[in-house]
Amino acid sequence: ENKVYLSGFCGAAGSALQMAQAYPHMFAGLLVYIPQQDFSLRMNLYNVDILAFYHAEVLVSGIPNSHVQQYYDELPKLVQLPVKGITHNDFLSLTAKADTIHYLLTKERCAYPKKLFYRTWMARHRTAYWITLDNIQRGAKVAEIQAEVEGNTIQIHTVGTDGLKIQIPPYLREYKDICVSINEHKRMLAVEDLPPVIHMSISDAGWEMTTESVPFSAKGTGLLDVYCNPVRVLYNSGNLQSIADVFAHPMCTGFNPKLLVDYPMIDLQKCDALPGNSSYVILEDVHTECAMIKELAPSCPVQYDSTGYSWNNERHDEEYCIWQILESPYASDQRVLLISSNNWAVFKKFLFFRHLILPTYLNGPQSFLNNEVLLLTRHGIYAAYENGGEMTKV
């Protein structure tokens, strides 16, 4: 488990960096050629060995190479290999060089680094080696952490989260007591009484030891969070079958956009109960009664009926199509994407009902589908990044 590596060329190099930025604790090293990346998350790679080949003359993701150099200089375990006078495709000849692969294989993962950085805008990505963030706070779009161990002291600075799960590094067990300092709030803890993992959460008195509690959140992934689990696509009206087929066969942005998935499609008028333990995409014509969909109504952030909808206690009587992500009432680790309309004839020509394309996230959240609520009306498209938040036009 300490010698797992990632490698990629061009777009795949960007995907390798992206995966390592999300899960830096899982990888010993990266070998990337002409990578594209989200530089806002670069410090997540602080403890990952990286061997990076790139064009010396070309802009990287529209950023001048002088700035890229500045970003990369912050990563102590990065080896940069700028190459001049070579075409994009000629880089492929470098990918089979044995010496670069052998160099990478000498590196091992460090499970308990004494200094770490981590930034996330996805509630699905919260682990930074031996520290896991509880959540991304309500009203915040990112959560960040910096941690450093000096002697018997763990110094932590964090923003955008309400709690931390800390796995005590083994090398601190040699001390009688350790000091945990979070945003200048210090606690002395007797090592002999400490469990392997402790949980700290913020209170009016500062950071206190508590029991772990991780609330439901689809922040960052938003409406697409449903595809992080096995999915069934349900519909309550025969005229929605063609749209159900779109959600049962999502696409990607790759050279070959076809994904090798074939999610089950189920007509709710022909079944008596929701099948299996999975997440659901539910397409609803609100003029067609369905008892199983009615069970979801109390948990919907947007309340609706056949003539209109209510958001944050404001009533709107108009034609609509509402997308909203919910925690499944049947299993807390599953999701429901509920899409409801009182006039499908108006909205079924909408772009995402023709092709559902799952984004790469190389440039951060997707403007439409990574919100937790999406509202289509004749006046435009509106979105709320989190349930109960402000609805803005997109």
Side-chain angles (χ1 to χ4, degrees):
E1 65 179 16
N2 291 326
K3 293 179 77 69
V4 178
Y5 308 92
L6 283 171
S7 181
F9 172 76
C10 195
S15 296
L17 282 170
Q18 184 183 16
M19 187 177 295
Q21 287 170 340
Y23 306 104
H25 58 288
M26 296 180 65
F27 301 106
L30 298 173
L31 175 59
V32 290
Y33 301 85
I34 327 176
Q36 305 171 29
Q37 73 175 100
D38 181 352
F39 285 99
S40 69
L41 303 179
R42 66 191 180 278
M43 294 303 291
N44 294 11
L45 302 173
Y46 188 83
N47 293 290
V48 180
D49 283 283
I50 307 170
L51 191 57
F53 292 82
Y54 64 92
H55 284 295
E57 306 94 340
V58 182
L59 299 183
V60 178
S61 299
I63 302 173
N65 274 336
S66 59
H67 293 185
V68 173
Q69 179 70 44
Q70 176 185 337
Y71 292 149
Y72 283 164
D73 283 346
E74 298 175 292
L75 301 177
K77 303 185 80 172
L78 167 71
V79 176
Q80 307 169 67
L81 295 169
V83 180
K84 293 184 178 180
I86 187 171
T87 68
H88 185 85
N89 289 336
D90 286 341
F91 264 92
L92 284 171
S93 64
L94 300 176
T95 62
K97 295 291 185 181
D99 53 349
T100 57
I101 296 173
H102 290 159
Y103 170 84
L104 192 68
L105 293 177
T106 64
K107 308 302 178 182
E108 292 194 8
R109 178 183 73 111
C110 178
Y112 296 94
K114 291 192 173 183
K115 188 174 185 179
L116 63 86
F117 301 83
Y118 193 73
R119 186 176 195 265
T120 183
W121 50 267
M122 280 191 183
R124 288 273 181 175
H125 303 157
R126 297 179 288 110
T127 297
Y129 297 93
W130 43 276
I131 301 179
T132 298
L133 293 77
D134 270 5
N135 64 345
I136 300 175
Q137 283 176 339
R138 185 162 188 81
K141 286 196 172 183
V142 298
E144 298 183 54
I145 187 170
Q146 299 180 27
E148 188 167 5
V149 179
E150 295 180 348
N152 71 331
T153 300
I154 301 175
Q155 298 269 7
I156 299 174
H157 177 74
T158 186
V159 294
T161 189
D162 296 312
L164 301 171
K165 183 170 68 174
I166 303 172
Q167 194 172 7
I168 303 301
Y171 48 77
L172 289 178
R173 293 285 175 181
E174 65 185 51
Y175 295 97
K176 182 178 179 181
D177 303 292
I178 63 172
C179 175
V180 178
S181 175
I182 304 177
N183 294 351
E184 307 300 328
H185 295 275
K186 298 181 179 180
R187 287 185 64 89
M188 293 300 299
L189 305 173
V191 170
E192 64 179 0
D193 299 329
L194 281 181
V197 177
I198 62 173
H199 186 264
M200 310 287 290
S201 61
I202 190 68
S203 68
D204 293 338
W207 286 82
E208 303 286 343
M209 285 185 64
T210 60
T211 56
E212 184 178 5
S213 175
V214 180
F216 162 76
S217 177
K219 188 171 286 188
T221 43
L223 300 164
L224 294 179
D225 192 79
V226 70
Y227 284 101
C228 294
N229 297 312
V231 174
R232 287 178 168 86
V233 181
L234 317 178
Y235 54 99
N236 74 334
S237 175
N239 64 2
L240 299 179
Q241 185 173 353
S242 61
I243 297 177
D245 186 70
V246 170
F247 286 85
H249 302 95
M251 305 171 73
C252 70
T253 58
F255 180 77
N256 180 0
K258 185 176 181 180
L259 297 176
L260 300 179
V261 294
D262 184 16
Y263 294 117
M265 294 166 48
I266 299 167
D267 186 342
L268 286 172
Q269 293 179 312
K270 299 178 181 178
C271 71
D272 299 323
L274 288 178
N277 180 24
S278 70
S279 291
Y280 302 107
V281 176
I282 301 179
L283 302 169
E284 178 193 15
D285 183 334
V286 300
H287 300 292
T288 303
E289 290 289 327
C290 181
M292 284 178 280
I293 296 178
K294 277 190 175 181
E295 293 179 18
L296 300 172
S299 59
C300 290
V302 183
Q303 294 292 304
Y304 59 91
D305 54 35
S306 60
T307 59
Y309 60 91
S310 297
W311 173 256
N312 287 347
N313 298 318
E314 292 186 9
R315 174 70 185 181
H316 302 270
D317 289 311
E318 60 180 337
E319 295 172 331
Y320 64 80
C321 180
I322 301 166
W323 301 42
Q324 45 192 328
I325 189 81
L326 317 171
E327 182 177 4
S328 173
Y330 311 106
S332 60
D333 61 340
Q334 304 292 338
R335 306 288 186 257
V336 174
L337 171 56
L338 178 62
I339 305 178
S340 312
S341 179
N342 61 355
N343 191 343
W344 277 101
V346 172
F347 298 108
K348 69 180 184 179
K349 293 183 180 180
F350 179 60
L351 175 64
F352 297 122
F353 294 139
R354 286 180 273 168
H355 296 291
L356 181 67
I357 300 174
L358 304 182
T360 65
Y361 303 119
L362 283 176
N363 298 309
Q366 206 260 6
S367 301
F368 296 91
L369 299 179
N370 289 143
N371 296 289
E372 293 187 4
V373 176
L374 193 66
L375 172 64
L376 315 181
T377 74
R378 288 184 180 272
H379 308 294
I381 304 173
Y382 301 83
Y385 192 69
E386 58 186 341
N387 290 337
E390 181 184 0
M391 191 81 75
T392 58
K393 194 169 186 178
V394 292

